[in-house]
Amino acid sequence: MLESQILTSQDGAVCTLTLNRPAALNAFTTAMLMQLRNALDAAAADDSVRCVVITGAGRGFCAGQDLSDPLVKPSMEAGDLPKDIGHLLDGYYIPLAQRVRSMPVPVIAAVNGVAAGAGANFALGCDLVLAGQSANFIQAFSKIGLLPDCGGTWLLPRLVGRARALQLALLAEKLPAAEAQSMGLIYRCVPDADLATEAQALAQRISALPVRAMAQTRLAFDAAGRMDYDEALKLESAMQSRLGFAADYQEGAAAFLQKRAPKFTDR
Ligand code: T3D
């Protein structure tokens, strides 16, 4: 039987998904994209999960789309018709990117090695990106005549500004994790040997916090990006109103006033 291309494990309230095609630097096949989305769906539906960590097996995080996948492999014979890559994006990458962005709990990318093309932008679409010091981010698309996908056109200018986004996308150079941190592309670069421990510790810490409010914060940030200031203020009010009725706010505020540790349960 074929080994699963996504490994799932759980420690307490933290679910870890591992991209598992190490011989190809975890490049995405269509089977893997489906399995990853299914694993995220399962984590979203499981009330015992309060934080998700995504990492890669072996020396890479993800080398982007597997260019040998029959769905995208270029025609090498005269007379073959080129394939429509848009179908791949519509059927696999868009639902995956949207799934991450709509998770009811925070998602951490633990980037353990190279993250290229859609692999880089998939990581950057997660809520917090930790990377090992030897990891690199590469917007590899321009090298093969494509533009940044898997959310790249939206994410990059917002994360680092237009000038740097164009630098990354046009030149497609390796961006070391430490530089990615200093330009604000990722949350933090850590020593390689500490990455897994740091990612799990962060996820465990988050899982004890009000995760529903965190997921709502992500939604509000994304929505505010499409609004003017007054609209964003109104949205904050509407969303805060709903959070104010939820158990976590009652618990958090009561625990503060009673000088005790809170126990958060909303999701
Ligand atoms: O049609 C479409 O493409 C639509 C979708 C687009 C979304 C995208 O993600 S486009 C971007 C696709 N990704 C790339 O172009 C990156 C290609 N890979 C590389 O440039 C390099 O592999 C890396 C810079 C990522 C790493 O270099 P290095 O020297 O550390 O490793 P390597 O030797 O190149 O790769 C190791 C193995 O992984 C190798 O296999 P082998 O020769 O040992 O059997 C290599 O072929 C394989 N591999 C790496 N990336 C891919 C891949 N196989 C298939 N697809 C890949 N993307």
Side-chain angles (χ1 to χ4, degrees), residues 25 29 33 38-39 47 84 88 97 100-101 104 106 131 136 153 191 198 208 214 245 249 257:
L25 301 178
T29 60
L33 289 162
N38 289 342
D47 282 342
D84 183 352
L88 177 77
V100 171
R101 226 55 189 187
N136 288 292
T153 57
E198 291 262 3
M214 293 180 181
F245 284 116
Y249 171 65
L257 294 173

Side-chain angles (χ1 to χ4, degrees), residues 94-147:
I94 292 177
L96 177 65
Q98 289 174 331
R99 174 67 282 185
V100 171
R101 226 55 189 187
S102 65
M103 286 294 283
V105 298
V107 181
I108 297 171
V111 179
N112 54 299
V114 67
N121 294 337
F122 171 70
L124 297 176
C126 295
D127 297 315
L128 292 170
V129 185
L130 279 178
Q133 70 201 4
S134 67
N136 288 292
F137 294 82
I138 312 174
Q139 294 295 321
F141 307 90
S142 67
K143 286 188 186 171
I144 56 170
L146 296 178
L147 57 77

Side-chain angles (χ1 to χ4, degrees), residues 109-265:
V111 179
N112 54 299
V114 67
N121 294 337
F122 171 70
L124 297 176
C126 295
D127 297 315
L128 292 170
V129 185
L130 279 178
Q133 70 201 4
S134 67
N136 288 292
F137 294 82
I138 312 174
Q139 294 295 321
F141 307 90
S142 67
K143 286 188 186 171
I144 56 170
L146 296 178
L147 57 77
D149 61 22
C150 201
T153 57
W154 192 90
L155 290 164
L156 293 171
R158 283 171 169 80
L159 288 168
V160 295
R162 179 181 163 84
R164 281 176 164 159
L166 282 168
Q167 171 203 330
L168 296 175
L170 270 51
L171 304 182
E173 291 166 343
K174 280 188 182 176
L175 179 73
E179 271 183 58
Q181 177 187 325
S182 59
M183 68 165 63
L185 189 71
I186 66 168
Y187 164 47
R188 205 147 69 87
C189 168
V190 300
D192 289 334
D194 298 344
L195 178 67
T197 316
E198 291 262 3
Q200 291 297 321
L202 180 64
Q204 292 291 350
R205 174 153 72 92
I206 285 174
S207 71
L209 296 173
V211 295
R212 181 191 292 185
M214 293 180 181
Q216 292 289 300
T217 301
R218 176 216 301 134
L219 283 179
F221 277 15
D222 288 352
R226 300 185 291 271
M227 292 173 181
D228 66 25
Y229 188 57
D230 290 343
E231 288 169 328
L233 287 170
K234 293 294 286 178
L235 179 72
E236 286 172 12
S237 173
M239 293 178 77
Q240 203 74 301
S241 167
R242 285 198 293 276
L243 286 172
F245 284 116
D248 276 356
Y249 171 65
Q250 308 298 324
E251 168 65 6
F256 175 78
L257 294 173
Q258 293 162 4
K259 300 190 186 304
R260 63 173 172 82
K263 172 105 185 74
F264 296 111
T265 52

Side-chain angles (χ1 to χ4, degrees), residues 21-25 27 59 63-68 72-73 85 88-89 93 114 116-119 138 140-141 143-144 146 149 174:
R21 295 187 68 230
L25 301 178
R59 71 177 177 91
Q65 170 61 36
D66 188 313
L67 298 174
S68 67
V72 298
K73 194 173 171 191
I85 298 172
L88 177 77
L89 300 188
Y93 283 101
V114 67
I138 312 174
F141 307 90
K143 286 188 186 171
I144 56 170
L146 296 178
D149 61 22
K174 280 188 182 176

